[in-house]
Amino acid sequence: MAALHRTIVVGGVAAGMSAATRLRRNDEQRHIVVLERGSHVSFANCGLPYHLGGVIEERDDLLLQTPESLAARFGLDVRTRHEVVEIDRERRTVLVRALETGDEYEEAYDELVLATGARAVRPPFPGAELAHTLRDLGDMDAILAALEGSAETPSRSAVVVGAGFIGIELAENLTRRGLDVVLVEREAQVLPPLDVEMAVLVDERLRAHGVEVRTSASVTRVEPGTVTLDDETRLPADLVVTAVGVVPETGLAEKAGLDLGPRGGIVVDAQQRTSDPAVFAVGDVAVKRDALTGTGTLVPLAQTANRQGRLVADVITGRDVTAPAVLGTAVVGAFGTTAAMVGWSEKRLRAEGRQVRVIHTHPSDHAGYYPGARTMALKLLVDPPTDAILGAQGVGEAGVDKRIDVIATAMRGGLRASDLADLELAYAPQYGSAKDPVNMLGMVADNLAAGITDTVQWYEVGAEARDGATVVDVRSAGEYAGGSLPGALNVPLDELRDRHVELPAGRLVVTCAVGQRGHTAARLLRQLGRDDVANLDGGYRTWSRVAGI
Amino acid sequence: MAALHRTIVVGGVAAGMSAATRLRRNDEQRHIVVLERGSHVSFANCGLPYHLGGVIEERDDLLLQTPESLAARFGLDVRTRHEVVEIDRERRTVLVRALETGDEYEEAYDELVLATGARAVRPPFPGAELAHTLRDLGDMDAILAALEGSAETPSRSAVVVGAGFIGIELAENLTRRGLDVVLVEREAQVLPPLDVEMAVLVDERLRAHGVEVRTSASVTRVEPGTVTLDDETRLPADLVVTAVGVVPETGLAEKAGLDLGPRGGIVVDAQQRTSDPAVFAVGDVAVKRDALTGTGTLVPLAQTANRQGRLVADVITGRDVTAPAVLGTAVVGAFGTTAAMVGWSEKRLRAEGRQVRVIHTHPSDHAGYYPGARTMALKLLVDPPTDAILGAQGVGEAGVDKRIDVIATAMRGGLRASDLADLELAYAPQYGSAKDPVNMLGMVADNLAAGITDTVQWYEVGAEARDGATVVDVRSAGEYAGGSLPGALNVPLDELRDRHVELPAGRLVVTCAVGQRGHTAARLLRQLGRDDVANLDGGYRTWSRVAGI
């Protein structure tokens, strides 16, 4: 009888454990070894900030599986605190160090799956070693211990460095715990993956709940109890946590001579195979294929990690399946507001020199006539020649995750932006609108694709005005009195049909609250013979949030 | 100068008003007349039950537009209480009756848009004229007046006939108002568009909140204060409301000799054109094209009505656009639970003789380790040869509308059921799971499509057992003790690898709580040489809800 087939999985969290359990379900006759450097497998890393904040009260709730439970159910040989220190690809063995004892031993494999994940970037400033990061339970425990402080001086102040997704969650949860939190971000906005006029809505919410947000600010050094910024501001900091991104944990792969991508990460084919056909890589450590460009990208997200783990198990057991390209859908909550995105941002598209059609709306999460409706901001990015959806972003108190999920699904299905108008989404007044926010995005996209309307963006209208365009605010006199664009004339929409002759010749830019009345006004003016009219996309609401930027 | 082009729209609510306003935005140089038989245009008909229940406090909140506001903004000639009584297609005129005065007059048209909607079916039992229906504000006002009753005897009891979407909303809102409500349904379940094992979850919720649900019951007569059922039960009923469906309001079209569909409704082409090229029909009165079969169907839903209104305006003003086929996505809330569906139900598919692959799951709306997670029931219907998604249903307290919207979008995008596994849906623990409920449906679909697992349905397992299959419950001994299938053996999953030899030869059906452990057990047994193993789809949870049915 032949020896059992042996598969070794390095890393026992999302991707690694998905691979190991699926492998077992696919093949009972196989030795499956999971080697995890840390103390825990299959823990809920996305829950770590929420245990810090006391939302998830029990630490044990974060432990989804143990080596014992995995042995009982899946016959897995799971070894925590066992680090793989070397791969001998020639002999198909790994050298393992048992961290408790320091002993080293070899394990042979037929297939090796690298699911080593990503590690927190350690920022370069002096004293960075005094700062915490938050990637695993050990990190969380260390922060909890630091928060206790000494008996007489528990921590009162925290500085969070980096206002990305994890940084926002840290700021919220440390505030929830009663600390005074300063959130420091090198970029000019929080949530750098989003565009600034969307991220500013999260910024406002953070400030409203007491977080001191410092954008365009860098840390120059950390000393015990103090963080110093590049403008020499000294911030009191009983606790410092950095969340400035992650990098794939490729040390082992690199040492073994596997191909790496230009920005790090292990290069894999569509079946997660590395440059060595017996070695696979999945999850945060692997280079993904971007859905927009087809080129390599790094997307450290749980859904993709789990999915790749399942896929690699199928590949190893002989199924002909391939991994799809990734869109990178992500969401974060902050003090009751939700920010979500999918695909590329406008700034990323423009940085790459791509043409983009931009749509901003401010719809309600459900019908306005039903109590409790809350306004969200949505943004859709469209490829002008093809009407393809390139990305979307949303910020608001309710219904944002639903709309981004719908758009992510539309992107996966290859629907065009205009097709969003036809989606049949579940409508009763407490859930949505007969014209759902996603439908409305599609209608605007259709109008733009068909040339029925033209729009200008919030960052273009100032230059338009300086170049001689007349800005016409078609809101009511009362709304206009509450604030408008500099130099805007006020002609309420319902009077425009009679009063359009008052408007000066030349280029007109119409604006209203959110862009809807402006669209009607632009259509009216165009048909009254004004052929150089554009509507301010997103209206006064989008513009006013960022007018100071 | 040529006379202005004239378009007449008959009906001024969802489809009609969408058509009229879009027509104006498309073409300022056109006379647009909207003739509405009722007293109001553009009112929120989906909100009517919620004003009855006091959720929408102000009646005025249901009035979205008035003839005056539509004249000011869109230059529309809107006439309420004006009924079109005849169409002279030869002369392209309509005969209009002004209901206030009884005067009749003719209006000429270049295009006529019929948006006459649907009317409530009046059931055939004696005394039906004593019952209310709820289609417009007048109906709602009449119910409100009836609820007041006389000063000494306000209404205390209500019978709602018909437990479809509107019937459920009526039952909830009349209960909310303090009435004792009996809900009578001729079919054996509430919410007949759903499958019974899903609808029963709504039934339970209705009963838990005091609604007396009487299924498989017909009304034989209504007398003042009393409703009599076919089993001679006499129900006290200060108020009776029937909600037994709607039929297209085709009288006018029929009289004019326009083609009608076999089940009613005006037949239209993909541009909403009737058999007379100058006459269009949109919304509830028009026959739609079913997305599954491509054949005619009636789907009286607001989203489609609005969308067709917009489309017909584009067609009339010269755009080459066509209406998509319809999926019929719908949702209803009842006492904090949500039921939603898209596409076809299992019973409809089976009634049409179609093969169908069925998947039941019971996922949480968000990660179980984050507080407040609530379980929902999901069902996915798949076409076995093509893996196409035929329909989906969901019932639960949170996150159901999101999942059905995602699946509706996937259906529109032509994604296969297995593709749902790869959707990148926004994940943080308060919003979903790394493997979202929709992803999990896709994984099960993939397992079934690939032949990795076999399942049996809740209504098949009894016959399987009678035919000699052994039912193996792989839950813990404690769970098993709390109730299991008749005759089931208990071998907990974690002991199965050692104890499988105890199982009798022949067919095995494994079962667990929701189907997940059962899947692992079925895989294990199959690889241990048991080649006739199936997993009970949806597990004990699905089965136990309907075991008595």
Side-chain angles (χ1 to χ4, degrees), chain A residues 28 307 338 422 431 497, chain B residues 28 307 422 431 497 527:
Chain A
E28 181 66 20
R307 188 66 188 92
T338 296
D422 289 320
Y431 301 101
R497 202 168 265 109
Chain B
E28 181 66 19
R307 188 67 189 93
D422 290 320
Y431 301 100
R497 202 169 264 109
Q527 294 184 65

Side-chain angles (χ1 to χ4, degrees), chain A residues 22 25 28 73 307 327-329 338 401-402 405 422 424 426 431 446-447 494 497 523-524 527, chain B residues 22 25 28 73 307 327-329 338 401-402 405 422 424 426 431 447 494 497 523-524 527:
Chain A
R22 175 77 172 177
R25 287 193 300 272
E28 181 66 20
R73 179 146 308 169
R307 188 66 188 92
L327 297 167
T329 314
T338 296
D401 54 321
K402 175 160 85 169
D405 279 357
D422 289 320
E424 291 173 75
Y431 301 101
D446 173 58
N447 285 336
D494 293 352
R497 202 168 265 109
R523 290 294 308 157
L524 178 60
Q527 294 185 65
Chain B
R22 175 77 171 176
R25 288 194 298 273
E28 181 66 19
R73 179 148 307 169
R307 188 67 189 93
L327 296 168
T329 315
T338 296
D401 54 322
K402 175 161 85 169
D405 279 357
D422 290 320
E424 292 172 76
Y431 301 100
N447 285 337
D494 293 351
R497 202 169 264 109
R523 290 294 308 157
L524 177 60
Q527 294 184 65

Side-chain angles (χ1 to χ4, degrees), chain A residues 18 21-22 24-29 44-48 50 55-57 61-62 64 69 71-75 169 172 176 291 299 301-304 306-307 310 314 319 321-322 324-334 337-342 369-371 401-402 404-410 412-415 418-431 433-436 439 442-444 446-447 450 452 493-495 497 517 519-520 523-524 527-528, chain B residues 18 21-22 24-29 44-48 50 55-57 61-62 64 69 71-75 169 172 176 291 299 301-304 306-307 310 314 319 321-322 324-334 337-342 369-371 401-402 404-410 412-415 418-431 433-436 439 442-444 446-447 450 452 493-495 497 517 519-520 523-524 527-528:
Chain A
S18 291
T21 54
R22 175 77 172 177
R24 171 58 71 225
R25 287 193 300 272
N26 285 357
D27 184 6
E28 181 66 20
Q29 310 298 337
N45 37 10
C46 298
L48 301 178
Y50 297 95
V55 177
I56 299 170
E57 291 181 20
D61 288 347
L62 299 172
L64 308 178
S69 71
R73 179 146 308 169
F74 295 103
E169 290 179 344
E172 180 190 32
R176 198 175 260 148
V299 178
L301 290 171
Q303 195 276 340
T304 305
N306 280 298
R307 188 66 188 92
R310 185 177 189 271
D314 285 358
R319 271 187 89 187
V321 283
T322 55
V326 298
L327 297 167
T329 314
V331 64
V332 66
T337 204
T338 296
M341 68 176 298
V342 57
Y369 64 82
Y370 190 94
D401 54 321
K402 175 160 85 169
I404 295 300
D405 279 357
V406 165
I407 296 171
T409 305
R412 173 74 73 204
L415 291 175
S418 301
D419 294 331
L420 297 179
D422 289 320
L423 292 180
E424 291 173 75
L425 303 172
Y427 167 56
Q430 63 274 53
Y431 301 101
S433 293
K435 295 171 187 164
D436 188 87
N439 295 142
M443 292 183 192
V444 178
D446 173 58
N447 285 336
I452 289 170
L493 173 56
D494 293 352
E495 300 171 19
R497 202 168 265 109
R517 280 174 286 176
H519 169 60
T520 299
R523 290 294 308 157
L524 178 60
Q527 294 185 65
L528 292 172
Chain B
S18 290
T21 53
R22 175 77 171 176
R24 173 58 71 226
R25 288 194 298 273
N26 285 358
D27 183 6
E28 181 66 19
Q29 311 298 337
N45 38 9
C46 298
L48 301 177
Y50 297 95
V55 177
I56 298 171
E57 292 182 20
D61 287 349
L62 300 171
L64 308 178
S69 70
R73 179 148 307 169
F74 295 103
E169 290 178 345
E172 180 190 33
R176 197 175 261 147
V299 179
L301 290 172
Q303 195 276 341
T304 304
N306 280 297
R307 188 67 189 93
R310 185 178 190 268
D314 285 358
R319 273 186 86 187
V321 284
T322 56
V326 299
L327 296 168
T329 315
V331 65
V332 65
T337 202
T338 296
M341 68 175 297
V342 58
Y369 64 82
Y370 190 93
D401 54 322
K402 175 161 85 169
I404 295 299
D405 279 357
V406 165
I407 296 171
T409 305
R412 174 74 74 201
L415 292 175
S418 301
D419 293 331
L420 299 178
D422 290 320
L423 292 180
E424 292 172 76
L425 303 172
Y427 167 56
Q430 63 273 54
Y431 301 100
S433 293
K435 294 172 187 164
D436 188 87
N439 296 142
M443 291 182 193
V444 178
D446 173 59
N447 285 337
I452 289 171
L493 173 56
D494 293 351
E495 301 170 19
R497 202 169 264 109
R517 279 173 288 176
H519 169 60
T520 298
R523 290 294 308 157
L524 177 60
Q527 294 184 65
L528 293 172

Side-chain angles (χ1 to χ4, degrees), chain A residues 246-325:
Chain A
V246 297
V247 287
E249 189 76 270
T250 49
L252 196 57
E254 194 173 1
K255 210 159 113 185
L258 298 172
D259 287 353
L260 302 186
R263 294 171 52 217
I266 304 173
V267 173
V268 292
D269 67 13
Q271 298 199 311
Q272 306 300 134
R273 205 175 272 106
T274 70
S275 50
D276 178 337
V279 182
F280 299 80
V282 288
D284 293 358
V285 77
V287 175
K288 323 281 186 302
R289 192 163 45 89
D290 184 89
L292 261 62
T293 60
T295 56
T297 186
L298 296 173
V299 178
L301 290 171
Q303 195 276 340
T304 305
N306 280 298
R307 188 66 188 92
Q308 293 190 339
R310 185 177 189 271
L311 183 112
V312 81
D314 285 358
V315 169
I316 288 172
T317 50
R319 271 187 89 187
D320 183 20
V321 283
T322 55

